[in-house]
């Protein structure tokens, strides 16, 4: 099993550009999550999904969109990149709400200039 | 609002000694607590967890203690090894809401 994979590993965007961060998992997990980690801060939840076709906002959803068309994939979309979105983004998945342990991908380091 | 706080950004211990990492939380609705370990350029990996109905959970060299009245948990690593050097995140959850602390960087010196 590859676990949770994320692409790209690094990306530099100009203000106003858009991009999609890809996330995939091969563990047949229902729950998937997107977090961002700013320097010196903990991870903050952006969006999560409890299954294909179902998504919900987390703590810091503004400026982002998600979709969940399949169990495996959970892409994160930035429509109009802003410097405040410079961060490291982590995707994670878990078996269910009752299984609290989350499996994380390696992260995407995004810089918006 | 920081609902989960790790007040020590860093900790340095000698190999073989005990490492104690601390975490405080403010939301009494949290019912499950976890510790994650993170190496550079990797995602966090799950280390150990504890439910709010317990006050201690042990897994090999790692023990987590929960003091609900003080809203405090701690991770003990005994004995500490150089390979334990990493950033440790405390997390607390209630339903689908998972909150993380800012992390403590542990350095274990040989």
């Amino acid at each position: 099993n590859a676990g949770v994979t994320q692409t790209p590993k690094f990306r530099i965007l100009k203000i106003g550009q858009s991009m999609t961060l890809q996330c995939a998992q091969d563990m047949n997990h229902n729950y998937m999550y997107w977090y961002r980690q700013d320097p010196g801060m903990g991870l903050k939840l952006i969006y999560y999904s409890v299954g294909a076709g179902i998504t919900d906002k987390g703590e810091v959803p503004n400026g982002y969109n998600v979709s969940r068309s399949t169990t495996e994939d959970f892409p994160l979309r930035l429509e109009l990149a802003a410097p405040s979105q410079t961060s490291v983004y982590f995707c994670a998945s878990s078996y269910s709400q009752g299984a609290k342990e989350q499996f994380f991908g390696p992260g995407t380091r995004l810089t918006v200039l | 609002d920081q609902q989960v706080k790790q007040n020590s950004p860093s900790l340095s211990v000698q190999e073989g000694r005990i490492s104690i990492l601390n975490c405080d939380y403010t939301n009494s609705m949290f019912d499950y607590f976890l510790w994650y370990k993170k190496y550079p350029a990797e995602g966090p990996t799950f280390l150990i967890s504890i439910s709010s109905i317990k006050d201690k959970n042990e897994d090999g060299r790692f023990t987590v203690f929960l003091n609900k009245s003080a809203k405090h948990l701690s991770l003990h690593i005994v004995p500490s090894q150089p390979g334990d050097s990493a950033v440790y995140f405390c997390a607390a959850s209630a339903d689908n809401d998972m909150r993380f602390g800012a992390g403590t960087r542990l350095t274990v010196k040989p």
Side-chain angles (χ1 to χ4, degrees):
Chain A
N1 284 354
V4 179
T5 58
Q6 292 183 239
T7 55
K9 284 187 169 30
F10 305 94
R11 184 72 186 268
I12 298 175
L13 283 182
K14 293 182 179 179
I15 295 172
Q17 286 186 319
S18 62
M19 78 163 293
T20 299
L21 282 67
Q22 301 292 344
C23 174
Q25 53 91 10
D26 62 358
M27 296 174 282
N28 203 31
H29 286 172
N30 285 325
Y31 282 60
M32 295 188 76
Y33 313 83
W34 273 106
Y35 293 92
R36 60 178 286 173
Q37 184 191 12
D38 299 326
M41 304 290 287
L43 284 76
K44 293 193 174 182
L45 183 65
I46 304 171
Y47 269 95
Y48 68 95
S49 170
V50 303
I54 306 170
T55 62
D56 210 343
K57 295 178 181 178
E59 187 183 355
V60 289
N62 291 342
Y64 307 94
N65 277 303
V66 294
S67 59
R68 184 95 182 271
S69 56
T70 66
T71 300
E72 294 77 19
D73 300 298
F74 190 39
L76 178 72
R77 179 84 179 162
L78 283 73
E79 290 294 350
L80 290 169
S84 61
Q85 294 178 303
T86 294
S87 190
V88 180
Y89 291 83
F90 291 101
C91 178
S93 70
S94 64
Y95 290 112
S96 67
Q97 179 180 351
K100 301 294 187 179
E101 174 190 349
Q102 296 180 11
F103 296 81
F104 284 83
T108 294
R109 184 175 293 276
L110 175 67
T111 302
V112 182
L113 300 175
Chain B
D1 61 338
Q2 283 273 91
Q3 296 190 27
V4 178
K5 293 183 182 179
Q6 293 176 257
N7 292 319
S8 297
S10 63
L11 174 68
S12 181
V13 300
Q14 208 66 36
E15 181 179 6
R17 299 289 188 102
I18 184 171
S19 295
I20 300 177
L21 294 90
N22 294 303
C23 178
D24 297 294
Y25 62 96
T26 57
N27 189 344
S28 57
M29 297 300 291
F30 290 140
D31 59 3
Y32 204 81
F33 305 88
L34 308 91
W35 285 93
Y36 284 85
K37 178 178 179 179
K38 184 183 181 303
Y39 293 117
E42 294 183 9
T45 55
F46 170 75
L47 190 58
I48 192 169
S49 63
I50 187 167
S51 164
S52 60
I53 63 173
K54 294 186 174 182
D55 55 18
K56 177 182 174 181
N57 188 26
E58 192 171 353
D59 183 3
R61 296 187 296 114
F62 302 91
T63 303
V64 56
F65 295 92
L66 176 63
N67 183 335
K68 282 186 294 183
S69 60
K71 294 190 176 68
H72 177 85
L73 66 155
S74 61
L75 174 68
H76 292 209
I77 306 174
V78 181
S80 301
Q81 299 173 353
D84 296 329
S85 296
V87 177
Y88 289 78
F89 290 99
C90 164
S93 77
D95 294 327
N96 287 318
D97 188 11
M98 178 89 76
R99 301 293 176 114
F100 286 79
T104 296
R105 182 178 301 278
L106 173 66
T107 303
V108 180
K109 298 179 179 178

